[in-house]
Every structure is written in C-alpha cells, then in structure tokens.
Amino acid sequence: MKKYLPKLVQNDKWLEPYSGVISDRMILAERKERELTGGKSLADFATGHLFFGLHRTHSGWVIREWAPNATHIYLVGTFNDWQESADYSFSHLDHGVWELHLATDQLAHGDLYALNIHWAVNHGKRIPAWATRVVQDENTHMFNAQVWAPANAYEWKTPDFQRADEQPLIYEGHVGMAGEEERVHTYNEFCEQMLPRIKANGYNVIQLMAIPEHPYYGSFGYHVSSFFAASSRFGTPEELKQLIDEAHGMGIAVIMDLVHSHAVKNEVEGLGNYDGTRYQFFHEGGKGVHPAWDSYCFNYDKNEVLHFLLSNISYWLNEYKFDGFRFDGVTSMLYFNHGLEIAFSNYDDYFNANVDHEAVTYFKLANKLMKEINPGSLSIAEDMSGMPGLATAIEDGGLGFDFRMAMGVPDFWIKMIKEKSDDEWEVGDIFYQLTSKRMDEQVVSYAESHDQALVGDKTIIFRLIDKEMYFSMRKDQPNLIVERGIALHKMIRLATASCAGGAYLNFMGNEFGHPEWIDFPREGNNWSYSHARRIWSISEDQDLKFHWLYDFDKEMIQLINQNKILSIPSVDKVLENKPDKVLAYHRGLFLFVFNFNPTQSFTDYGIPLGAGKYQIVLNSDSGRFGGHDRVDEEISYYTMPSKGMDSQHYLKLYLPARTALVLKKVDIPKAK
C-alpha cells in the first residue's frame, strides 16, 4: 500500500522524512476540532462573545464571566458607588461560569464598572475579560469597563462588503500617530484625513495596529489587556466601525494586528492572575512567561482558552467587519524557546521537539474559522523562522495562512546599506533575496515596516541620508548625499514591490521618506509626542524633496495595482551583469531594468529579449521624482535582432547611473 503523502510533502521532496510529523499535526488538529465542536462548525463554537460579557436583554441586563477559581464575584461601579452588595452578586453556574441578571434601571449606557473577584485567600478588582469597552480616567489613569449600549446601533453603509480578488497592497497604519500634531489622534481623523490619501495612492488594504485595548500607549499595541475592546484612546466603537465602513465604501479592505501570542502581565486591567491563578489563561512556570517581552503566554491546549481566542477572532470579523488579521508573534508561538537564538538553517529545526504542536493546532483552527466566517478574509503570519507549510492550505498539510511576512527582505536591505559600499552591491544577490520563497506559499514583501522605524533603529532614508535630512532637503540645496539617498530609496522600493511574492506592504510615512524614527511618550523622553506622529506637510511641500519620493510611490503603487502585476506569479530574470551592476527581469508584459552602478551610465545597453515593442511607464530618473530627466519617455523602444541571429533580439536602452526603468511590452501594429 502506497504511503499517504500530504500535498505539502509532494511539492517538496526534502520534506519526505518529516511526512509523519506533518500528518500527525493534521490528525491532532482534526481531533481537537471534534473535541471542541462536537461535530458542529468552528463558527458555531467560536461564539463566546455572545454569551460571556455584558449584554442588554429584553428584560434588563446579563453579565457572565469564566473564573473557575473564584469563590465570590461582585459587580461594582458608578451605579453602586463601587461597593459590594447582594444586588450585584454573581451566581455560580457549572464549569467555572458566573452569571448576574440585572433589571433595566440597574445599569445605564456610560456607567463605569469592574468586578471584585474573591478567591480562597485573597480578592482583587478586575476588568472583565470579555469587556467590549474599556476607558481610562484622565486624572487617575485608572482603567474601568464602561457600559456601552447606545440607543441606536451603528448602521452599516456597506454591510455586505467583500474584498476584491486582488493581490494585497497593504498600507500599515497606526491611528494614534497618523496625524501631524503632538497628541493622540482619533478614528474620525484617520477616516477623514488618511482614507482619501490611501485611496489616492493606490493601496487596497489597510493594516491597523494597536486596536485592542492596551494599558501602555508606548507598547505599540502589543501588550494587550482587553482582547474584545477597541482602544478607547482613539474614540468610540461606532467611530471605528465608521472608519472601516468608509474604507469599504472606497473598495479598501481593513485588517488588524491580532496579538494572540502573549498578553500583558497586568492584573487589574489584564488577564494576569484573573481569578487568583495564572494558569487560568496561561501556562504555569517558565513556559508561561516570555523572557524577552515580559508578558504571559497562553495555554493553547486548554479548551476554554481556545474558546476565548477563537471567539475573539469571530468577534472582530463579525462585530467590526474587519477583513482579516496579521497574526503577531507567530514565531514565538510555534517554538517552546520562542525562536530565540535559532538560525533555522535546516528542516530539522521545524520538526523537532522544540515545536509547540498545541500552537500549530491553534493556527490551523484559527485559519479554518476565518474562512468559515468570511471566505475572502486575509490571514498573514508574522514569522521569521520560515516554517514550511505556514502559508499552505490546511488540507494540504499546512497551517492555513494566506501569506507570511517576508521578514528577511528588510533585514537584507539594512545589511546592504550598513555593511557594503555602493560598488559592492551585487545585483544577482538582490534578485535572489527578493524572489526567494517557497513556490507553494505567498509572502508579503516590504522594504521596511514600523519595525525598522522604531527608536533605536533607522528607516532606509535615514540610513542613506543621515544628518543631511536636517540641512539639505530643500530643492534649492544641492547635495550629493541626498541625491544618492533619494535615487536608491526609489530603486529599493521598486525592486521590492515588483518582485513581491504576492503582496506588498508600506508603513505610513515611509513612502515619502519620513524623517527620523518612531518614539512613543515615555519617561525616557519626558513623555513627548514629538516622534509619535507623521509630518504629512513635508510630503506636500513643493519646495521640499520629500514630495518626489511621495509622488514616485504613488505612481509605483498605482502601476502595480491597475495592472495586477503581483497576480503574475513568475518573476523571470532576463539579465544579471555583475560588473555593470545592471539587473533586468520580466513580470508578465512588464520589463524592469535597474542600473545600480553608482557612477557609470550606459548608452545603448542591450537587454536580450524576443522581438517586441516597449514603452516606458515608470522612470525613477524623471524630474517629477527628483531625477535628471536623462531618459526619453515619449518614444517607443523596439528590440533589434542580433547580427546573424534573427531569433535573438536586444532592447537598446540608455541607463543612467542609479536609475530604474519600467517598460511595458505593447502590440506592434500589423501591416495592412
């Protein structure tokens, strides 16, 4: 009898020694799904948010929480002067569930509330784990849940929005720092100011950071406390819904960063020691603590925890109509040592005892659930390990993500810029690094995300230009360092985007070379907001050079979007000339030609092609983008046959130093 091999293994013979492990992972996930659902759908199972938490009913209110170690629970708040009373005492049901029914007049929209949870030896104030609205007092800085039941529910303008079947061009954004003023900005401001800009620039997906509530603004939203509450520091739930609704009306999908990799240690406003035990949600001992992030790690084998996390996915997809998630910290979840200090240099690293099969099962369930709720939803894994099958279908032996982040690409660019002089850049290495991926997986390629802009690091433009950013960015200030930086910034982004393995991402502001770094208010900077914002005015100032980069990015993204370039799977190398530093490759009808040579321009440079006619559709040397207008964009370019070789043609181009050209093959009119 022939041994069954999952399609993942069939596509990669080097995985055959691990076929048993891959099959076992499939069996474990199927077994856990049956255990959870009893044969029903995952979508029916992941509805905890409809049962737990506070809900208004026909006869009043009901609130339920899961706290198996609790002995008593009281609801306290502004309605009872924060005092425990019998009227607000929960009843204990089965399986650690507690429940309280209240009359209509015992709670009102806007009331603040919390739980006083008692256990055998102590008690403590807790924000309910399933709370959907949490606010912070401006004076005391204390967090409390808030009754949120407006008289009129939000009415969706585009309730049936479906993401278009197109490759994602992702605009990564943070609501609070999206404006120019030194303060926290709002959902409404993002809706009014950012959505039109993103639409005009050609991006079709917005990835929002820091949406679930987090106590510390400077955590960038990665230390989550309330998993079902949209951060109130940016506005109300209705305002977030309006943001998503308006984006949908523009044809733009909205996904969010989902942090299920860990949770903040806070006990009052988080899940730490929620019912007097850490093991309620998290592992005990060292397994439950992330050594690098100072946070707690979920127990993915516990059914109640899976119910909590899977319901969280369902909640954001259904209640807010998000179109998917970028799962944060996937590497940390997949490996018992969180992927720290591992090179991941061979396949053994992905299939040994260091892999947490409980986390693997969770991802399979999470991705299957997403497709049950919304078949067009986007699921992206932030993983630096490169585990085979991560972005492969579950039925083929994979974990079911649609994409994984190509985290090696920005690292490659940083290494090139930092460690090699311009004349050491190898075009063959550039092409390999930008196109290297598993054939059965799609990736989100990017030159830089928010990670490369955080305090202590540098953006690409700052690495290229450095202190000259402060002195020489006016157009009447010629500067060779700035000229080099602008030229390479355009080429790096075009090469990354045009070679992208299915999707492309940009962090807001990086498209125009936003100066300096991101730094949130903290004690170390005297709680300043000066670096927690985006200075859009410099990108629009026609006297400054930033708008050249901004305009180039806009035309680049629109070209890719309108011509569906990333939907063409094959990126075919045409020419790699190491001494000249010239690289050329085809993607469909489009020819991309890069001259990375820092000093030498080439006249009548021959690109070997078949017979054809080409038209320039994007030129990084255009004066509109800060170039020198050395290339004639108006004429058509015809290939010419090589002497004695009718089948081999060459496209003769003028290639200025540090210039990229995009040409489109066009039909040659037939003679009548």
Side-chain angles (χ1 to χ4, degrees):
M1 182 174 177
K2 188 175 181 180
K3 183 180 177 182
Y4 167 73
L5 292 177
K7 189 174 180 182
L8 173 64
V9 180
Q10 296 175 35
N11 291 342
D12 183 354
K13 66 177 183 179
W14 297 105
L15 287 174
E16 286 191 18
Y18 311 100
S19 61
V21 177
I22 294 169
S23 296
D24 287 346
R25 290 177 180 177
M26 298 174 72
I27 293 169
L28 287 172
E30 292 167 1
R31 184 182 300 162
K32 176 59 79 171
E33 181 180 349
R34 289 194 299 270
E35 180 183 330
L36 295 174
T37 66
K40 296 181 180 179
S41 70
L42 279 169
D44 288 333
F45 167 75
T47 55
H49 55 288
L50 302 179
F51 179 79
F52 290 108
L54 178 64
H55 300 276
R56 185 160 54 184
T57 68
H58 294 298
S59 58
W61 304 87
V62 64
I63 181 171
R64 301 183 186 92
E65 284 292 320
W66 174 61
N69 192 54
T71 56
H72 297 88
I73 300 180
Y74 295 92
L75 186 70
V76 296
T78 51
F79 41 82
N80 61 9
D81 201 26
W82 301 96
Q83 300 300 309
E84 295 180 1
S85 65
D87 290 348
Y88 291 90
S89 176
F90 282 69
S91 299
H92 188 203
L93 307 181
D94 294 334
H95 308 296
V97 177
W98 296 78
E99 181 181 80
L100 172 63
H101 288 271
L102 297 170
T104 301
D105 61 357
Q106 287 182 278
L107 287 179
H109 173 66
D111 283 345
L112 301 180
Y113 70 97
L115 305 178
N116 277 357
I117 298 183
H118 293 247
W119 51 93
V121 295
N122 209 337
H123 64 89
K125 175 187 174 182
R126 298 289 186 265
I127 303 298
W130 298 80
T132 57
R133 171 76 171 170
V134 175
V135 296
Q136 184 179 27
D137 186 276
E138 292 183 1
N139 299 313
T140 67
H141 304 297
M142 296 295 291
F143 285 87
N144 287 292
Q146 185 177 41
V147 178
W148 198 257
N152 298 312
Y154 181 80
E155 293 186 14
W156 293 87
K157 299 176 184 176
T158 52
D160 301 319
F161 173 80
Q162 290 293 319
R163 187 177 69 87
D165 184 18
E166 56 189 4
Q167 300 304 116
L169 295 166
I170 304 171
Y171 198 85
E172 183 187 29
H174 183 283
V175 171
M177 61 175 289
E180 191 155 338
E181 297 177 27
E182 295 185 18
R183 59 176 174 84
V184 178
H185 296 84
T186 67
Y187 297 126
N188 281 344
E189 289 170 324
F190 195 96
C191 187
E192 295 165 4
Q193 300 169 19
M194 291 300 299
L195 291 187
R197 179 180 282 115
I198 295 168
K199 175 65 175 178
N201 287 11
Y203 292 90
N204 55 33
V205 176
I206 298 171
Q207 178 183 312
L208 289 180
M209 310 176 66
I211 295 300
E213 193 58 82
H214 45 290
Y216 180 43
Y217 188 45
S219 76
F220 228 139
Y222 291 123
H223 273 192
V224 175
S225 52
S226 296
F227 286 78
F228 290 84
S231 181
S232 61
R233 56 170 56 86
F234 309 133
T236 68
E238 286 69 33
E239 289 165 345
L240 174 56
K241 291 176 182 178
Q242 183 182 3
L243 187 165
I244 297 168
D245 203 9
E246 294 290 338
H248 287 171
M250 297 177 177
I252 302 173
V254 185
I255 65 175
M256 64 174 260
D257 275 3
L258 190 73
V259 186
H260 283 181
S261 48
H262 62 136
V264 71
K265 285 184 174 180
N266 298 37
E267 296 185 1
V268 174
E269 58 271 336
L271 301 178
N273 203 40
Y274 187 71
D275 67 350
T277 64
R278 197 180 88 191
Y279 57 77
Q280 182 186 0
F281 287 97
F282 312 110
H283 287 289
E284 281 282 35
K287 187 177 178 181
V289 179
H290 197 295
W293 297 345
D294 190 32
S295 53
Y296 287 147
C297 301
F298 286 106
N299 182 347
Y300 303 107
D301 191 48
K302 199 168 186 177
N303 290 354
E304 293 88 350
V305 174
L306 289 175
H307 187 231
F308 181 82
L309 296 176
L310 293 175
S311 296
N312 191 234
I313 288 173
S314 178
Y315 171 77
W316 292 111
L317 292 177
N318 286 305
E319 180 67 21
Y320 283 89
K321 300 190 184 300
F322 275 100
D323 302 291
F325 307 100
R326 190 209 72 155
F327 285 75
D328 175 70
V330 167
T331 308
S332 173
M333 296 168 68
L334 286 175
Y335 307 96
F336 288 121
N337 70 346
H338 309 293
L340 301 173
E341 299 181 2
I342 300 181
F344 294 103
S345 57
N346 63 76
Y347 275 7
D348 285 343
D349 293 332
Y350 306 114
F351 301 101
N352 59 25
N354 186 40
V355 177
D356 188 341
H357 293 294
E358 295 164 5
V360 171
T361 291
Y362 165 71
F363 285 131
K364 288 174 178 279
L365 297 176
N367 284 311
K368 184 174 181 179
L369 170 66
M370 288 179 62
K371 297 306 182 186
E372 284 186 13
I373 296 172
N374 179 0
S377 61
L378 269 178
S379 176
I380 301 171
E382 189 221 18
D383 169 58
M384 51 74 62
S385 75
M387 174 177 278
L390 191 72
T392 301
I394 297 168
E395 58 270 24
D396 294 339
L399 274 65
F401 288 99
D402 297 308
F403 297 86
R404 65 170 178 84
M405 302 291 289
M407 300 181 73
V409 172
D411 292 342
F412 165 73
W413 285 122
I414 290 171
K415 185 178 178 66
M416 285 271 288
I417 296 168
K418 282 178 61 176
E419 299 180 5
K420 294 187 177 183
S421 63
D422 292 12
D423 56 8
E424 293 177 314
W425 287 27
E426 295 185 8
V427 291
D429 191 30
I430 291 173
F431 184 77
Y432 171 78
Q433 295 290 343
L434 296 184
T435 57
S436 179
K437 73 177 190 67
R438 296 181 61 82
M439 292 305 296
D440 55 355
E441 296 188 356
Q442 293 193 97
V443 301
V444 178
S445 301
Y446 58 106
E448 52 188 348
S449 67
H450 72 274
D451 284 328
Q452 286 70 45
L454 292 172
V455 63
D457 207 341
K458 293 180 180 180
T459 60
I460 285 177
I461 195 66
F462 207 86
R463 289 185 185 280
L464 291 169
I465 297 178
D466 206 72
K467 66 181 185 298
E468 300 300 326
M469 293 281 289
Y470 302 109
F471 308 115
S472 304
M473 292 304 285
R474 291 185 59 86
K475 290 182 180 177
D476 58 3
Q477 297 169 313
N479 185 293
L480 291 177
I481 294 175
V482 173
E483 184 176 319
R484 167 188 178 265
I486 288 177
L488 287 177
H489 192 273
K490 290 179 289 186
M491 296 179 73
I492 287 169
R493 300 177 79 79
L494 177 61
T496 304
S498 60
C499 286
Y504 175 74
L505 176 141
N506 165 72
F507 178 70
M508 64 177 187
N510 285 356
E511 68 270 28
F512 64 84
H514 195 282
E516 300 185 334
W517 54 86
I518 298 167
D519 190 10
F520 284 88
R522 56 187 173 87
E523 188 175 2
N525 65 14
N526 294 318
W527 304 102
S528 170
Y529 284 88
S530 64
H531 291 289
R533 60 192 180 116
R534 300 279 91 178
I535 310 173
W536 298 107
S537 57
I538 62 174
S539 71
E540 298 158 356
D541 189 334
Q542 296 297 307
D543 292 328
L544 298 180
K545 301 172 184 176
F546 294 100
H547 89 83
W548 285 335
L549 298 178
Y550 191 61
D551 292 345
F552 179 80
D553 188 83
K554 180 183 294 186
E555 291 204 23
M556 177 185 79
I557 294 298
Q558 289 177 344
L559 175 70
I560 292 171
N561 193 357
Q562 293 168 5
N563 293 282
K564 312 301 180 189
I565 291 175
L566 299 192
S567 66
I568 304 165
S570 180
V571 185
D572 304 310
K573 184 164 61 177
V574 174
L575 174 72
E576 170 198 328
N577 190 309
K578 183 176 179 179
D580 292 345
K581 303 196 180 307
V582 174
L583 172 68
Y585 52 87
H586 254 302
R587 195 156 191 177
L589 297 176
F590 293 88
L591 176 69
F592 297 84
V593 184
F594 294 81
N595 179 11
F596 280 98
N597 200 302
T599 58
Q600 191 170 356
S601 299
F602 300 101
T603 302
D604 289 336
Y605 201 90
I607 310 295
L609 297 166
K613 173 186 175 183
Y614 289 82
Q615 192 77 42
I616 291 178
V617 292
L618 187 63
N619 169 21
S620 72
D621 190 55
S622 170
R624 305 194 315 279
F625 311 133
H628 297 285
D629 278 326
R630 291 169 290 186
V631 179
D632 191 341
E633 300 178 34
E634 301 302 320
I635 65 172
S636 296
Y637 291 83
Y638 292 85
T639 61
M640 303 296 291
S642 177
K643 290 182 179 180
M645 295 178 62
D646 292 339
S647 61
Q648 180 62 70
H649 285 230
Y650 285 87
L651 187 68
K652 298 294 184 72
L653 298 173
Y654 175 51
L655 301 180
R658 292 199 185 109
T659 292
L661 301 176
V662 184
L663 301 98
K664 184 179 182 181
K665 188 175 183 180
V666 295
D667 292 332
I668 300 175
K670 294 181 179 180
K672 293 183 178 180

